[in-house]
Amino acid sequence: MDDRAHNSGHLMLITPERVFYAGLLGRPRERCPGAFHIYVALRGGLWLTTADGREAYGELVAVAPNMRHTIASDHRSAICITIEPESVPDGTFAQWERRLQGFERDVFAQRIRTAYETLLTRSRRDDIDGAGLDEMCFGEALPRRALDPRVVRSMMTIGKFSGEPVTAASCAAEAGLSASRFLHLFKQETGISFRSFRAWKRARHLLHFANQDLNLAHLAQDIGYPDSTHFSHSIRRFYGLKPRAIFSGSRDLAIYSSGDGAIAR
């Protein structure tokens, strides 16, 4: 078992379509992530305020993708599960938000806390895929969205994070389409604009390195940000925290990537 997870109880499992995080929540500032978020209290409750005027308090709260919100906890740490919107069919989040906020809420909260305890004591965590994580947390795998192979290829290209910016024009050329036709296809298939998808995935990729001692300016360049200012503004918009605050609060966080082995040893 990773000493960081053993000593702090803080861990993060990253798969291409899911993230399971148990750790510090950070100061309650507005954030607007690009994925469906499920927050579960480890102790006490959670306070949620959304940009559309919703306020909630409880052991479990859920927020739709691209919804500006503020989350605060009675306890310093909490669990957060993220589900990427392109991975499930349209309507899935609305259905699951109703279930998570309905009479099953306490059952789901306890199941997710049990999944955390299982992950904390498990000898391996890098062999769990998105469906396996769904089973642990919800008792069933969420339905999968079928995507056009040309869109899948463009998503894989974006996910390489080679440092060179991936453009709609280059993805369109690879798909054998005009730029306008490709952008329409991408939005139609994923429900997300190409630009928004690329921005969120770039910010999400930062999570893989959050517990490492890195030069943030170099990291920003490596994952495709044009400059440090753009990097800082983007991360703060998605996570409600500056990059330096994220790295500072993640020193005792054990990070695992499904299929790639543990990043933190």
Side-chain angles (χ1 to χ4, degrees):
M1 180 189 300
D2 192 301
D3 286 342
R4 302 190 206 203
H6 178 76
N7 294 332
S8 70
H10 298 167
L11 63 84
M12 180 160 57
L13 171 64
I14 305 171
T15 83
E17 299 174 343
R18 308 284 188 270
V19 175
F20 186 103
Y21 170 79
L24 297 174
L25 196 55
R27 296 178 63 183
R29 290 175 174 159
E30 188 174 78
R31 60 189 68 185
C32 189
F36 186 63
H37 273 51
I38 303 165
Y39 299 98
V40 177
L42 286 168
R43 295 204 298 268
L46 299 165
W47 302 86
L48 172 72
T49 304
T50 62
D52 61 356
R54 186 178 125 206
E55 295 184 353
Y57 175 81
E59 292 183 278
L60 184 155
V61 293
V63 189
N66 303 306
M67 170 62 71
R68 289 186 291 114
H69 67 276
T70 300
I71 186 78
S73 175
D74 291 337
H75 183 59
R76 291 184 68 208
S77 298
I79 297 169
C80 178
I81 300 169
T82 65
I83 303 170
E84 299 303 309
E86 76 280 1
S87 70
V88 296
D90 291 339
T92 299
F93 293 141
Q95 174 190 351
W96 273 89
E97 191 167 2
R98 287 193 295 271
R99 289 188 64 184
L100 291 165
Q101 302 294 356
F103 69 90
E104 299 175 276
R105 179 169 61 178
D106 292 345
V107 174
F108 281 122
Q110 187 53 49
R111 185 186 290 274
I112 290 167
R113 282 193 287 260
T114 299
Y116 164 60
E117 295 294 337
T118 299
L119 289 171
L120 194 61
T121 58
R122 188 182 169 109
S123 59
R124 286 191 64 187
R125 305 170 185 86
D126 59 330
D127 60 340
I128 303 171
D129 61 10
L133 192 57
D134 286 352
E135 291 280 357
M136 291 175 66
C137 295
F138 312 125
E140 61 186 274
L142 272 62
R144 290 187 58 84
R145 183 195 291 253
L147 293 170
D148 187 295
R150 294 169 293 184
V151 171
V152 173
R153 283 197 299 271
S154 68
M155 289 164 56
M156 292 176 64
T157 301
I158 292 169
K160 289 177 181 177
F161 301 104
S162 62
E164 292 296 323
V166 177
T167 65
S170 63
C171 289
E174 184 180 7
L177 300 171
S178 67
S180 60
R181 174 59 188 145
F182 169 76
L183 289 172
H184 176 78
L185 176 67
F186 191 95
K187 177 69 178 291
Q188 176 180 283
E189 289 287 302
T190 65
I192 313 161
S193 73
F194 178 85
R195 185 175 181 179
S196 295
F197 180 91
R198 183 182 59 187
W200 166 242
K201 294 302 181 183
R202 185 184 290 160
R204 187 186 192 271
H205 192 60
L206 168 80
L207 299 178
H208 289 276
F209 310 98
N211 63 357
Q212 298 184 26
D213 185 14
L214 298 174
N215 181 300
L216 294 185
H218 292 168
L219 175 62
Q221 185 175 24
D222 288 345
I223 61 180
Y225 286 96
D227 53 61
S228 296
T229 300
H230 187 189
F231 171 57
S232 182
H233 286 171
S234 178
I235 297 304
R236 187 167 184 176
R237 174 167 67 92
F238 286 122
Y239 296 114
L241 295 165
K242 294 180 179 180
R244 194 165 301 283
I246 292 174
F247 278 75
S248 177
S250 302
R251 290 170 183 159
D252 62 357
L253 179 69
I255 302 177
Y256 301 89
S257 181
S258 176
D260 297 326
I263 292 178
R265 291 294 186 186

Short mmCIF file of all heavy atoms in Angstrom, two decimals, residues 19 36 97 103 123 137 167 251 254:
data_model
loop_
_atom_site.label_atom_id
_atom_site.label_comp_id
_atom_site.label_asym_id
_atom_site.label_seq_id
_atom_site.Cartn_x
_atom_site.Cartn_y
_atom_site.Cartn_z
N VAL A 19 -13.12 9.74 -12.05
CA VAL A 19 -12.12 10.04 -11.03
C VAL A 19 -12.77 9.80 -9.67
O VAL A 19 -13.88 10.27 -9.43
CB VAL A 19 -11.61 11.50 -11.11
CG1 VAL A 19 -10.66 11.78 -9.93
CG2 VAL A 19 -10.91 11.77 -12.42
N PHE A 36 -19.75 15.57 -14.41
CA PHE A 36 -20.75 15.35 -13.37
C PHE A 36 -20.02 15.07 -12.05
O PHE A 36 -19.11 14.25 -12.01
CB PHE A 36 -21.62 14.15 -13.75
CG PHE A 36 -22.78 13.88 -12.83
CD1 PHE A 36 -23.80 14.81 -12.68
CD2 PHE A 36 -22.88 12.69 -12.14
CE1 PHE A 36 -24.89 14.56 -11.86
CE2 PHE A 36 -23.96 12.43 -11.31
CZ PHE A 36 -24.97 13.36 -11.17
N GLU A 97 -29.08 12.06 -10.99
CA GLU A 97 -29.20 13.12 -9.99
C GLU A 97 -30.49 12.93 -9.19
O GLU A 97 -30.52 13.11 -7.97
CB GLU A 97 -29.17 14.49 -10.65
CG GLU A 97 -29.02 15.63 -9.66
CD GLU A 97 -28.68 16.95 -10.31
OE1 GLU A 97 -28.58 17.01 -11.55
OE2 GLU A 97 -28.50 17.94 -9.57
N PHE A 103 -34.86 8.90 -2.35
CA PHE A 103 -34.91 8.06 -1.15
C PHE A 103 -33.71 7.12 -1.05
O PHE A 103 -33.45 6.56 0.02
CB PHE A 103 -36.22 7.27 -1.12
CG PHE A 103 -36.33 6.20 -2.18
CD1 PHE A 103 -35.89 4.90 -1.93
CD2 PHE A 103 -36.86 6.48 -3.43
CE1 PHE A 103 -35.99 3.92 -2.89
CE2 PHE A 103 -36.96 5.50 -4.40
CZ PHE A 103 -36.52 4.21 -4.14
N SER A 123 -4.72 -3.84 -2.11
CA SER A 123 -3.30 -3.89 -2.43
C SER A 123 -3.00 -3.26 -3.79
O SER A 123 -1.92 -2.71 -4.00
CB SER A 123 -2.80 -5.34 -2.42
OG SER A 123 -3.52 -6.12 -3.36
N CYS A 137 -19.25 1.84 -6.46
CA CYS A 137 -19.89 3.03 -5.89
C CYS A 137 -21.41 3.03 -5.99
O CYS A 137 -22.09 3.57 -5.12
CB CYS A 137 -19.35 4.28 -6.57
SG CYS A 137 -17.58 4.58 -6.29
N THR A 167 -5.79 21.15 -32.63
CA THR A 167 -6.77 22.07 -33.20
C THR A 167 -7.91 21.30 -33.86
O THR A 167 -7.76 20.13 -34.24
CB THR A 167 -6.13 22.99 -34.26
OG1 THR A 167 -5.70 22.19 -35.37
CG2 THR A 167 -4.93 23.73 -33.67
N ARG A 251 0.14 17.06 -1.28
CA ARG A 251 1.45 16.45 -1.01
C ARG A 251 1.33 15.06 -0.40
O ARG A 251 2.19 14.21 -0.61
CB ARG A 251 2.26 17.36 -0.10
CG ARG A 251 2.71 18.65 -0.80
CD ARG A 251 3.31 19.65 0.17
NE ARG A 251 3.67 20.88 -0.50
CZ ARG A 251 3.83 22.05 0.11
NH1 ARG A 251 3.66 22.13 1.43
NH2 ARG A 251 4.17 23.13 -0.56
N ALA A 254 -2.10 10.03 -2.50
CA ALA A 254 -1.64 8.94 -3.35
C ALA A 254 -2.48 8.92 -4.62
O ALA A 254 -3.71 8.91 -4.54
CB ALA A 254 -1.75 7.61 -2.62
#
